[in-house]
Amino acid sequence: MSNREVKNFTRKLETGLRLAEKRMLEEKALRNETIVVSSSVGSIQYISAREVLATF
């Protein structure tokens, strides 16, 4: 693969992952569910999907 092809593939992959994450958050928000998030120091937090979706 050329450098250009790698960049194009990476861009498409990142776009797809963002879309999948947004859809997951929307579904969880509809069901009033929480998601699990880990901080940089390793502590675990449970956050409302609606809160995360609002800042997404």
Side-chain angles (χ1 to χ4, degrees), residues 2 14 19 22 26 29 33 40 46 48 55:
S2 69
E14 289 172 349
L19 179 61
K22 183 178 180 191
E26 289 170 342
E33 295 179 346
S40 60
Y46 297 88
S48 165
T55 61

Side-chain angles (χ1 to χ4, degrees), residues 36-54:
V36 179
V37 180
S38 175
S39 71
S40 60
V41 293
S43 64
I44 297 173
Q45 298 176 338
Y46 297 88
I47 305 173
S48 165
R50 289 181 183 182
E51 273 184 53
V52 178
L53 188 59

Side-chain angles (χ1 to χ4, degrees), residues 8-51:
N8 189 30
F9 174 75
T10 303
R11 183 179 44 79
K12 286 181 180 180
L13 185 62
E14 289 172 349
T15 301
L17 288 172
R18 265 185 263 124
L19 179 61
E21 184 177 14
K22 183 178 180 191
R23 287 179 181 168
M24 184 259 321
L25 288 171
E26 289 170 342
E27 287 181 25
K28 286 190 170 283
L30 284 173
R31 289 183 255 149
N32 227 10
E33 295 179 346
T34 60
I35 61 168
V36 179
V37 180
S38 175
S39 71
S40 60
V41 293
S43 64
I44 297 173
Q45 298 176 338
Y46 297 88
I47 305 173
S48 165
R50 289 181 183 182
E51 273 184 53

